[in-house]
């Protein structure tokens, strides 16, 4: 009887030790934080108001940086350019007319210079009167004022031309902006506009994200915070199959400076009252990571 009791006691002690070892192993292998993957998305907006003539993308499509993804109607801008080009021709014609007037007056001044010299010589010899000399001098002053006035018109026309040139450059720049290019290599997450619809200046028509790497946003307690720093490597664990996990390497890219309550959508009511710190872990995407999927991290010793 004593032997049976002793054997039973040994069995219970072994069971307790086994459970303790199993519990320790589970704690050792437990993840340090949990969260979901997210991407740094970007809204693509139109800088020009108008009608969308084309939208060369669909949700789920991968876009290359610099590829034309949409076009805004350029007809109103082209018509404005045509109008300004007509004004340019008018201003150039007026400038040519001013140059002709200046050339005529310059020739008249040259002739008057000769008369002024001749009359001055005749006045010395008493063959001309002082009034004749005064008339020539007065006519010379009139010609000088005329030339000054016409040259001011030429300066004004040059200024008008510069304004038109600037306006033309602005319109051509707007036409270039009508051809909307993808700002990054990314995946189209949402589409807000279709070809034929009107888009306002600054209005977004799609949302894209670079999914070549994703952020695993997790929440850690104040006790865990001292074990993390920017640039630190951590193990990232995701589901591979129903029974197996996949381990990847990630880098801590951001740590919140203030604590917050645990987000309600991912924790129980008991956990929601705890204060935690948000942490982002940057993980290269080999194609297995998707936005919104769950993930875990484990600190590397």
């Amino acid at each position: 009887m004593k032997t049976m009791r002793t054997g039973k006691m040994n069995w219970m002690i072994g069971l307790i030790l086994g459970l303790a070892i199993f519990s320790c192993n589970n704690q050792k292998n437990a993840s340090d934080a949990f969260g979901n993957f997210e991407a740094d998305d970007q809204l693509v907006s139109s800088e020009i108001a108008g009608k969308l003539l084309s939208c060369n993308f669909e949700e789920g499509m991968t876009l290359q940086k610099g590829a034309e993804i949409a076009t805004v109607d350029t007809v109103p801008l082209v018509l404005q350019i045509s109008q300004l080009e007509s004004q340019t021709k008018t201003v150039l014609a007026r400038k040519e007319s001013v140059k002709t007037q200046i050339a005529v007056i310059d020739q008249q001044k040259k002739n008057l210079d000769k008369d002024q010299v001749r009359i001055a010589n005749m006045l010395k010899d008493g063959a001309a009167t002082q009034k004749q000399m005064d008339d020539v001098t007065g006519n010379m002053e009139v010609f000088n004022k005329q030339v000054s006035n016409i040259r001011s018109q030429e300066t004004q026309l040059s200024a008008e031309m510069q304004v038109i040139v600037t306006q033309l450059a602005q319109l051509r720049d707007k036409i270039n902006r009508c051809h909307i290019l993808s700002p990054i290599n990314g995946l189209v997450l949402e589409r807000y506009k279709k070809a034929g619809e009107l888009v306002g200046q600054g209005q977004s028509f799609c949302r894209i994200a670079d999914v070549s790497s994703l952020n695993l946003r997790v929440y850690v307690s104040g006790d865990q915070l001292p074990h993390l720093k920017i640039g630190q490597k951590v193990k990232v664990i995701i589901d591979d199959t129903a029974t197996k996990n996949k381990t990847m390497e990630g880098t801590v890219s951001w740590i919140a400076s203030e604590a917050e309550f645990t987000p309600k959508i991912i924790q129980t009511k008991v956990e929601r009252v705890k204060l935690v710190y948000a942490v982002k872990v940057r993980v290269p995407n080999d194609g297995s990571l998707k936005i919104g999927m769950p993930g875990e991290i484990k600190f590397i010793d």
Side-chain angles (χ1 to χ4, degrees):
M1 180 68 68
K2 186 176 181 180
T3 303
M4 291 179 62
R5 288 181 179 177
T6 303
K8 187 176 181 180
M9 184 65 69
N10 290 337
W11 179 83
M12 291 180 65
I13 293 173
L15 178 61
I16 293 172
L17 289 173
L19 290 173
I21 293 171
F22 179 76
S23 176
C24 289
N25 287 336
N26 277 350
Q27 290 180 359
K28 184 177 180 181
N29 294 326
S31 297
D32 294 303
F34 305 83
N36 296 85
F37 285 95
E38 58 185 31
D40 294 327
D41 59 355
Q42 182 171 347
L43 291 172
V44 182
S45 306
S46 175
E47 298 183 58
I48 308 297
K51 181 179 180 181
L52 282 176
L53 296 182
S54 66
C55 285
N56 307 320
F57 63 91
E58 298 289 344
E59 289 185 359
M61 180 183 292
T62 300
L63 302 177
Q64 298 298 318
K65 182 178 180 180
E68 184 172 319
I69 59 176
T71 306
V72 179
D73 188 7
T74 60
V75 170
L77 298 175
V78 171
L79 292 176
Q80 292 181 50
I81 286 178
S82 179
Q83 181 180 8
L84 287 176
E85 288 176 342
S86 297
Q87 292 181 20
T88 299
K89 294 178 181 179
T90 301
V91 172
L92 289 175
R94 289 168 59 189
K95 287 188 71 173
E96 288 299 321
S97 176
V98 166
K99 289 180 180 179
T100 300
Q101 294 178 49
I102 291 175
V104 170
I105 293 176
D106 283 341
Q107 185 60 48
Q108 290 175 340
K109 281 183 62 180
K110 290 179 180 178
N111 296 336
L112 195 60
D113 282 337
K114 295 178 181 179
D115 290 342
Q116 192 175 30
V117 172
R118 186 167 54 252
I119 291 175
N121 292 329
M122 292 174 62
L123 184 62
K124 291 178 181 179
D125 296 336
T129 63
Q130 184 62 44
K131 183 178 183 308
Q132 290 176 307
M133 188 63 189
D134 292 342
D135 289 342
V136 171
T137 303
N139 289 335
M140 181 64 72
E141 291 178 356
V142 170
F143 281 141
N144 288 333
K145 290 180 179 179
Q146 287 179 344
V147 170
S148 177
N149 180 54
I150 294 174
R151 290 195 183 282
S152 67
Q153 294 180 28
E154 185 179 29
T155 302
Q156 183 179 355
L157 290 173
S158 296
E160 288 182 24
M161 178 61 72
Q162 186 58 48
V163 171
I164 294 175
V165 169
T166 302
Q167 291 175 339
L168 284 171
Q170 291 174 341
L171 288 173
R172 292 190 176 104
D173 178 66
K174 285 184 176 180
I175 287 179
N176 288 334
R177 295 176 188 272
C178 285
H179 301 278
I180 303 168
L181 310 180
S182 174
I184 59 173
N185 294 324
L187 182 72
V188 180
L189 303 179
E190 290 183 285
R191 172 177 175 167
Y192 309 128
K193 291 288 184 179
K194 295 181 180 179
E197 295 182 344
L198 295 177
V199 63
Q201 185 178 9
Q203 185 176 14
S204 301
F205 58 86
C206 74
R207 183 168 65 93
I208 64 177
D210 183 0
V211 293
S212 61
S213 61
L214 295 183
N215 292 316
L216 177 58
R217 188 184 186 97
V218 298
Y219 297 88
V220 301
S221 65
D223 302 355
Q224 295 172 304
L225 198 61
H227 300 287
L228 288 176
K229 61 182 180 180
I230 302 296
Q232 178 180 335
K233 302 294 183 181
V234 296
K235 289 182 181 179
V236 177
I237 304 168
I238 61 172
D239 296 335
D240 190 18
T241 65
T243 57
K244 293 182 179 180
N245 293 330
K246 181 178 180 179
T247 301
M248 309 173 74
E249 187 177 72
T251 305
V252 177
S253 59
W254 174 80
I255 301 175
S257 58
E258 296 181 358
E260 59 181 290
F261 285 106
T262 311
K264 296 180 180 180
I265 58 172
I266 62 172
Q267 297 293 342
T268 65
K269 185 178 289 187
V270 175
E271 294 292 328
R272 290 202 295 264
V273 299
K274 294 182 179 179
L275 285 175
V276 292
Y277 292 84
V279 175
K280 287 185 181 180
V281 177
R282 196 72 175 172
V283 186
N285 189 1
D286 60 0
S288 60
L289 303 180
K290 307 296 180 185
I291 297 173
M293 72 181 294
E296 310 169 15
I297 67 166
K298 186 173 177 58
F299 302 153
I300 299 176
D301 297 331

